[in-house]
Amino acid sequence: MTIQKQKNLRKQVAPFEKAVMKDSIRQLINTFLPFFTLWFLAYESLSISYFLAFPLTVIAAGFLVRIFIIFHDCCHYSFFKSRQHNKILGTITGVLTMFPYSQWGHSHAIHHATSSNLDKRGTGDIWVLTVTEYKEASIWKKIAYRLYRNPFIMFGVGPIYVFLITNRFNQKNAKKQERMNTYLTNVLIVALAAATCWLVGWQAFLLIQGPIFFISGSIGIWLFYVQHQFEDSYFEEDEHWDYVKAAVEGSSFYKLPKLLQWLTGNIGFHHVHHLSPRVPNYKLEAVHQHTQPLQNVPTITLATSLRSLRFRLWDEENKMFVSFKEIKTRSAAPKASRISSQTKAEL
């Protein structure tokens, strides 16, 4: 994509980069009201049967994902025109989703500025090693990487580790405002949990909030994973890295059924979001539909996205994700060829 085409693309998207107050308020109502209603109904259902309450917690988890998308927009200052309003709502939604607003907003901004840059990995992204890096890694690093990339750990243990542990502590170089926001978030989370336990009992709290927390967390990690881990994604070293290419080619268009698209706040239009983070989530689809170049991007569906579970390493030579098995097969092929040649020579 030429520089001129990139400029034209950014120009086409620019008109959508403004929040609309009535649309933001509408989204708050159709997200928060169903979430708290479902939570209450799940609690009331406990007196009948947990088999009745559990499906309600599953649906509520979907709405918590939607709340996280609002939090995510606030971190980009795109949900409201006012930065202060974004900070206030971001902190509130951060308590509900267990993400400290300032801390995550900072790391996520770095993610946007370095996404798909092989020389600037490590902040706010999924751990990715190249084939060469993996081959040269120590045995302990290989074990750690394999465990990290294991689906059961990433989507099972991952939510517990991220939400309950890493999100609760500040980075060493965090500024005072960021530190204070994390402390405030932690205090409010404890206070909210304690108040809820006092109102409904700790057993009911765990039976309802536990599944909501775990399911929404797993969905959130899955969305973040699949939006950048697809076969023909884009990764380049810093000298060849390009922001627009990283957005359009390195972020997927996750084409979901309409209901799931709505629950996930249109975040499947991730290529649009990375191109312009200031576009509110409720405008992402409109940008995609009205901008022709953005319709010709890597597209994945629920079915095809499952293939990404086997993607483990980035193959710099072939510019694609590969599995551990593929690397093992490649390594075994030259060895087999050498043995065959040696056998022929002996004969």
Side-chain angles (χ1 to χ4, degrees), residues 285-340:
E285 183 176 12
V287 175
H288 175 80
Q289 292 178 344
H290 290 85
T291 312
Q292 185 61 41
L294 293 179
Q295 296 175 20
N296 302 316
V297 297
T299 303
I300 55 177
T301 63
L302 275 178
T304 60
S305 66
L306 295 177
R307 300 175 190 169
S308 67
L309 289 172
R310 64 182 179 85
F311 298 149
R312 299 289 186 268
L313 302 161
W314 178 252
D315 186 343
E316 292 179 277
E317 183 178 348
N318 296 304
K319 306 292 184 183
M320 60 187 295
F321 273 107
V322 294
S323 65
F324 290 127
K325 184 177 180 181
E326 288 174 293
I327 297 303
K328 186 177 180 180
T329 302
R330 291 183 192 178
S331 299
K335 183 177 180 181
S337 179
R338 289 195 298 271
I339 294 175
S340 178

Side-chain angles (χ1 to χ4, degrees), residues 77-136:
Y77 302 108
S78 63
F79 197 74
F80 292 126
K81 294 180 181 179
S82 167
R83 291 176 69 90
Q84 189 62 28
H85 290 166
N86 280 299
K87 288 181 180 179
I88 294 172
L89 180 60
T91 299
I92 293 172
T93 50
V95 172
L96 294 174
T97 58
M98 302 185 72
F99 274 83
Y101 172 77
S102 296
Q103 179 198 117
W104 192 81
H106 178 252
S107 65
H108 191 63
I110 295 175
H111 162 69
H112 271 263
T114 60
S115 180
S116 299
N117 190 319
L118 289 173
D119 295 322
K120 296 182 179 180
R121 287 166 288 167
T123 301
D125 55 13
I126 298 291
W127 187 15
V128 175
L129 287 180
T130 65
V131 171
T132 302
E133 290 169 340
Y134 180 77
K135 288 181 177 179
E136 296 176 351

